[in-house]
Amino acid sequence: MNVKVFVIGGGGRCHAICESLRKSKKVTQIFAAPGNAGIAQIAECVNIDETDITALLDFAKREQIDLTVVGPEISLVAGVVDVFRANGLKIFGATKSAAKIESSKEFAKELMKKYDIPTANYRVFDDYNSAIQYVTEQGTPIVLKYDGLAAGKGVVVAEDFEQAKHALQEMLLHRKFGQGRVVVEEFLLGQEFSFMCFVNGKNVFPMELAQDHKRAFEGDKGENTGGMGAYSPLTFVTEEDKKFAFENIMQKTASALCSESCEFSGVLYGGLVKTQNGIKVIEFNARFGDPETEVVLPRLKSDLYDIFCDVLDGKIPEIQWDKRAALGIVLASKGYPAAYEKGFEIKGLDRVDAQVFQMGTKLENGKLLANGGRVLFMLALDDNLNEARKKVLDAISKIECNNLFYRKDIGWQAI
Ligand code: AMP
Ligand code: GLY
């Protein structure tokens, strides 16, 4: 077999996908658009924007790509899966209508309400005064979610009324993110975790669970980020919990999407929370999580290419996992998730004894430069999570760069 795969995207998640595909016995060539400096070591990077559907399609046709895999939500929302399928090309990812489960908070909440999928109580507003009145009635803490893509910054967990008011002003009066409405929802207390499944219609196949660390600083302090580190497997979610979440949340949601004529295919990501009243949904994503993918896929012992094909072909894939724990820490640019500078040189990667997924890097005149908010993801596997973390911290100590920060406490809930 001589299989050519095309991965759309460029961050650490796509680096991890490419790395797993590289291990496949069938895959002989991997292309990535746009890729990054790390991906370039294992794939041929092509300089096409991840939303330039025409150029992506032309490329896939010209290269006679056997399978395309989509990383980021912006490509899904732009309709890349719909266009590839309409042109008879095989692609793994959600269609534009199914991706609404991620791109519209209101759609996701309504679906959950209609199909009795456990989630926080909520109401939706486009008027500032009504929203303020509702917040006054409900009290704080309370959660405000801009209904639309806001680069991970559209969610505010308001601890007091002033914070809630400020956030509602930004979202509904100053229109910071655009013209979208705002979901105001009940605050759910509990440990959060991520449940990703391979899905095709009503066929749902679970991956191992992972936990992300969204806050910028140690002790879960600071602003929400795209994720500062992750680990897998989890100890606080029992087999019974996982079974509940699989049947009552993941499978039920996939079936609900079929009933609503926006059948899901691709990776359905449940951002879940284990509360005193059971497991509930915080959010859904229509794609692999980042950085969860960087700890889950390295534990996959089966062939990822086969899994993608089997799921797409309606077959039952073989999915085996490494028992060892995986833990990874993000090195981010100082200032992230707010403004940060780019272009700082990174040295020492050749000396580290850990797997590195590059998140936001570029190569310029032979130098590796930081080129994003999240820059590197350093990963280790070990029988013991604490040992895995020690290995990662040791690897990080060998990296030289003046403008990076990271959390030393990734996995604290389990260590
Ligand atoms: P989201 O983009 O919906 O995942 O929200 C980002 C983060 O905000 C989540 O990972 C949670 O930490 C927090 N969050 C969102 N919704 C709630 C909620 N209803 N209760 C508590 N925390 C929440
Ligand atoms: N780690 C959260 C996400 O991928 O959205």
Side-chain angles (χ1 to χ4, degrees), residues 195-314:
F195 194 176
M196 300 190 284
C197 295
F198 298 102
V199 178
N200 185 5
K202 290 187 179 169
N203 298 328
V204 183
F205 306 99
M207 295 187 220
E208 289 280 89
L209 303 176
Q211 190 174 44
D212 184 9
H213 295 59
K214 292 227 160 111
R215 302 298 195 97
F217 305 120
E218 278 159 27
D220 288 333
K221 303 251 162 49
E223 273 190 81
N224 262 329
T225 68
M228 294 297 294
Y231 68 96
S232 171
L234 306 179
T235 45
F236 68 91
V237 183
T238 63
E239 277 307 311
E240 200 185 327
D241 290 335
K242 189 171 180 188
K243 185 169 183 285
F244 174 88
F246 183 65
E247 289 169 2
N248 295 286
I249 295 176
M250 307 307 292
Q251 281 185 319
K252 211 165 170 183
T253 302
S255 295
L257 286 165
C258 290
S259 309
E260 296 293 313
S261 307
C262 37
E263 187 173 310
F264 195 94
S265 72
V267 170
L268 182 63
Y269 164 119
L272 312 181
V273 56
K274 183 171 171 173
T275 74
Q276 279 196 327
N277 305 316
I279 293 176
K280 298 190 181 186
V281 178
I282 293 228
E283 65 160 348
F284 282 116
N285 291 324
R287 50 166 176 87
F288 279 106
D290 192 356
E292 290 90 335
T293 303
E294 290 95 308
V295 292
V296 171
L297 286 187
R299 296 188 54 221
L300 180 68
K301 291 205 288 188
S302 311
D303 185 315
L304 183 61
Y305 173 75
D306 282 341
I307 295 177
F308 286 143
C309 292
D310 286 348
V311 172
L312 285 170
D313 295 343

Side-chain angles (χ1 to χ4, degrees), residues 72-93:
E73 60 273 34
I74 41 170
S75 311
L76 302 171
V77 171
V80 68
V81 173
D82 308 65
V83 172
F84 270 55
R85 291 208 177 130
N87 281 271
L89 299 186
K90 194 160 169 175
I91 185 164
F92 188 84

Side-chain angles (χ1 to χ4, degrees), residues 105 109 119-121 142-145 152-157 185-190 192 212 214-215 224-225 269 271 273 281-285:
K105 303 262 184 208
K109 293 299 286 190
T119 188
N121 294 325
I142 198 154
V143 185
L144 313 159
K145 300 186 173 185
K153 300 198 178 133
V155 176
V156 175
V157 178
E185 73 174 34
E186 173 197 4
F187 176 79
L188 296 175
L189 185 65
E192 283 178 53
D212 184 9
K214 292 227 160 111
R215 302 298 195 97
N224 262 329
T225 68
Y269 164 119
V273 56
V281 178
I282 293 228
E283 65 160 348
F284 282 116
N285 291 324

